[in-house]
Amino acid sequence: MSDEWILLDFWPSMFGSRVRIALAEKGIEFEYREENLVITKSPLLLEMNPVHKLIPVLIHNGKPICESVNIVQYIDEVCRGNNGNSPLLPSDPYQRAQARFWADFIDKKLQVAGMKITWHKSKEELEEGKKEMIYCLKLLEEQLGEKAYFGGEILGYLDVVLGGFCSWFYAYETFGNISMEIECPKLMAWIKRCMKRESFSKSLKEPHKIVDFVVQLRNKMDIYKM
Amino acid sequence: MSDEWILLDFWPSMFGSRVRIALAEKGIEFEYREENLVITKSPLLLEMNPVHKLIPVLIHNGKPICESVNIVQYIDEVCRGNNGNSPLLPSDPYQRAQARFWADFIDKKLQVAGMKITWHKSKEELEEGKKEMIYCLKLLEEQLGEKAYFGGEILGYLDVVLGGFCSWFYAYETFGNISMEIECPKLMAWIKRCMKRESFSKSLKEPHKIVDFVVQLRNKMDIYKM
């Protein structure tokens, strides 16, 4: 019997997107189940992630795995060598520790800066988010350097983790009035390089749909108008 | 030439404590360098962790590794089989994912609840912290079940990650007016079991010193008196 993979996800989620990219990179076919978090949470989500009650949750042969970076590592460990691809995490322990460090940085810093930009409730918060976002992008660009991917010549763990944000960057540019082309041209080239991969293009929504989603939700939540 | 290990740490830190326990479990001798974060940060800390500027930082043969859960995983990967001990992380990918999930839960939930208890600025915040702490402890106790350690019969990754808090629980009991013996007797027995291990007893400060540290720092910061 072949493995059963079910993904509980919500289409705009950068965290869900990571998992979709990782599954696609490993050539794993999965059943996608949309959770509309703006409306309600399904009984299955509450059963599979009773602690955080959040997507994404990957259900592998009935067993749930939660938290996106954790899921990506799980996929990498279970599907080592799948699809003829190299493992996402480097084999060298120091390089692995570095990749995990920057993945954590993305979740602790870049994600928070992005939240401030898209869901800001004051101009001050927006300015703060913008400043923090540029700081994060520049640091990440420094890590990328002249390499094609964070993983080097081949796509790696950090590419997948940051990759989940690829369709959000346009929203950060729009709401934050940031030009990534000016602030971090190498990172911008990395985004374009990633988006040419089928694993990214089929996993991520068009950037303008994310902008529309933010506008609609801001209106619905009646947050201070832009 | 033998490996050089230097740990930049601050004695009360639960995050530093994790690293000390992991190093002791693996039988690694290291140079301990105290960073008194209440006063200032050393140039070496700023150089080795320029992004977060936080302890603990483990410097292995000149190369820094930051963020405690990341450091513990690094030690486990580099020193596999050291000291005749089993690896800390389980070999089964699903069990590994579970261990990482709960480690993340400890940092996202239990640690935050603990901060609210010890550094509360209002009675409401204290009550909130207390409620959250009891919720966290009960969930963790459920994970422990009837096992000797979270890892089963032998000490594992999650034992080390939660182990860093062992000398802090008395402070949570004291400031939060919580009885762990009543709320979570199995977890209390786990603490006692862990503290009998040399890796814990030599790595952790006496619980009453943590209480004194909190009292002194609260006075210094002139936070609302208990």
Side-chain angles (χ1 to χ4, degrees):
Chain A
M1 206 181 75
S2 68
D3 281 15
E4 183 196 58
W5 300 87
I6 299 168
L7 178 62
L8 309 185
D9 201 348
F10 181 41
W11 69 268
S13 170
M14 56 283 273
F15 305 114
S17 301
R18 289 172 177 169
V19 178
R20 281 173 248 153
I21 295 168
L23 288 166
E25 280 291 332
K26 299 286 183 181
I28 300 169
E29 291 197 16
F30 62 98
E31 182 189 333
Y32 180 92
R33 292 205 197 166
E34 181 75 3
E35 291 279 334
N36 192 333
L37 299 188
V38 179
I39 302 171
T40 186
K41 297 182 182 191
S42 76
L44 185 63
L45 175 60
L46 300 179
E47 182 194 336
M48 291 291 156
N49 189 0
V51 175
H52 299 303
K53 304 174 180 66
L54 293 173
I55 59 94
V57 179
L58 182 66
I59 310 172
H60 184 202
N61 296 332
K63 291 195 289 185
I65 307 106
C66 304
E67 298 290 293
S68 65
V69 291
N70 195 23
I71 301 174
V72 173
Q73 286 183 81
Y74 175 78
I75 294 169
D76 195 37
E77 290 179 1
V78 169
C79 308
R80 220 151 255 277
N82 253 40
N83 211 15
N85 289 340
S86 311
L88 294 170
L89 257 309
S91 57
D92 171 67
Y94 189 73
Q95 294 305 323
R96 290 165 75 87
Q98 289 302 97
R100 286 192 186 117
F101 173 83
W102 287 106
D104 182 69
F105 171 82
I106 289 164
D107 282 358
K108 279 187 186 152
K109 303 289 182 184
L110 184 138
Q111 197 263 126
V112 174
M115 291 282 284
K116 288 182 186 170
I117 292 175
T118 44
W119 311 113
H120 65 273
K121 286 181 179 139
S122 67
K123 288 198 172 153
E124 292 69 32
E125 195 183 1
L126 176 63
E127 282 309 309
E128 198 178 275
K130 184 178 164 176
K131 208 174 134 187
E132 288 171 15
M133 178 58 74
I134 293 172
Y135 166 79
C136 290
L137 294 174
K138 285 187 184 291
L139 267 186
L140 287 166
E141 186 170 74
E142 214 176 289
Q143 288 304 308
L144 179 66
E146 301 301 326
K147 303 191 296 285
Y149 295 106
F150 286 93
E153 283 315 302
I154 52 163
L155 190 99
Y157 177 65
L158 200 51
D159 298 287
V160 174
V161 170
L162 186 61
F165 285 83
C166 276
S167 49
W168 277 85
F169 287 124
Y170 180 56
Y172 303 147
E173 287 189 293
T174 307
F175 294 95
N177 194 25
I178 299 170
S179 165
M180 286 185 66
E181 197 66 59
I182 292 171
E183 300 289 351
C184 46
K186 284 179 199 164
L187 204 60
M188 196 67 199
W190 169 85
I191 295 174
K192 288 177 186 160
R193 199 172 299 125
C194 287
M195 291 306 287
K196 281 187 190 149
R197 297 176 78 97
E198 202 191 317
S199 62
F200 277 67
S201 60
K202 80 172 193 184
S203 302
L204 301 174
K205 282 283 181 277
E206 294 85 341
H208 72 87
K209 289 196 178 161
I210 300 289
V211 171
D212 291 349
F213 167 74
V214 175
V215 169
Q216 281 172 28
L217 202 56
R218 282 187 68 89
N219 285 337
K220 199 170 175 172
M221 293 163 75
D222 202 20
I223 311 180
Y224 147 85
K225 302 290 183 297
M226 295 287 294
Chain B
M1 205 181 77
S2 67
D3 281 15
E4 183 196 57
W5 301 85
I6 299 169
L7 178 62
L8 310 186
D9 201 349
F10 181 42
W11 70 268
S13 170
M14 56 283 275
F15 305 113
S17 301
R18 289 173 176 168
V19 178
R20 281 174 247 151
I21 294 168
L23 288 166
E25 281 291 331
K26 299 286 182 180
I28 300 170
E29 289 197 18
F30 62 99
E31 182 188 333
Y32 180 92
R33 291 205 198 166
E34 181 74 2
E35 292 279 333
N36 191 334
L37 298 188
V38 180
I39 302 172
T40 186
K41 297 181 182 189
S42 76
L44 184 64
L45 175 60
L46 300 178
E47 183 194 334
M48 291 291 157
N49 189 1
V51 175
H52 300 303
K53 304 175 180 67
L54 293 173
I55 58 94
V57 178
L58 182 65
I59 311 171
H60 183 202
N61 296 332
K63 292 195 288 187
I65 306 106
C66 304
E67 299 290 291
S68 66
V69 291
N70 195 23
I71 300 174
V72 173
Q73 285 183 83
Y74 175 78
I75 293 169
D76 195 36
E77 290 179 2
V78 168
C79 308
R80 218 151 255 276
N82 252 40
N83 210 17
N85 289 342
S86 311
L88 293 171
L89 258 308
S91 56
D92 172 66
Y94 189 74
Q95 294 305 322
R96 290 164 76 86
Q98 289 302 96
R100 286 192 186 117
F101 172 83
W102 287 106
D104 182 68
F105 170 82
I106 290 164
D107 282 358
K108 279 187 186 150
K109 303 289 181 183
L110 183 137
Q111 197 263 125
V112 173
M115 291 282 283
K116 287 182 186 170
I117 293 175
T118 45
W119 311 114
H120 64 274
K121 286 180 179 141
S122 67
K123 287 197 173 155
E124 291 70 31
E125 196 184 0
L126 176 63
E127 282 309 308
E128 199 179 275
K130 183 179 164 176
K131 207 174 134 189
E132 289 171 14
M133 178 58 74
I134 293 172
Y135 166 79
C136 290
L137 294 175
K138 285 188 184 290
L139 268 186
L140 287 166
E141 186 170 73
E142 214 176 289
Q143 288 305 307
L144 179 65
E146 301 301 326
K147 303 192 296 284
Y149 297 106
F150 286 92
E153 283 314 301
I154 52 163
L155 190 99
Y157 177 65
L158 199 52
D159 297 288
V160 174
V161 170
L162 186 61
F165 285 84
C166 277
S167 49
W168 276 85
F169 288 124
Y170 180 55
Y172 302 148
E173 288 190 292
T174 307
F175 294 95
N177 195 23
I178 299 171
S179 164
M180 286 186 65
E181 197 66 59
I182 292 171
E183 299 290 350
C184 45
K186 284 178 199 163
L187 204 59
M188 196 68 199
W190 168 85
I191 296 173
K192 288 178 186 159
R193 199 172 300 124
C194 286
M195 291 305 287
K196 281 188 189 147
R197 296 176 79 97
E198 202 191 316
S199 61
F200 276 67
S201 59
K202 79 173 193 184
S203 301
L204 301 173
K205 282 282 182 279
E206 294 85 342
H208 73 87
K209 289 197 176 159
I210 300 290
V211 171
D212 291 348
F213 167 74
V214 175
V215 170
Q216 281 172 30
L217 202 54
R218 283 187 68 91
N219 284 337
K220 198 170 174 172
M221 293 163 74
D222 203 21
I223 312 180
Y224 149 84
K225 301 290 185 298
M226 296 288 293

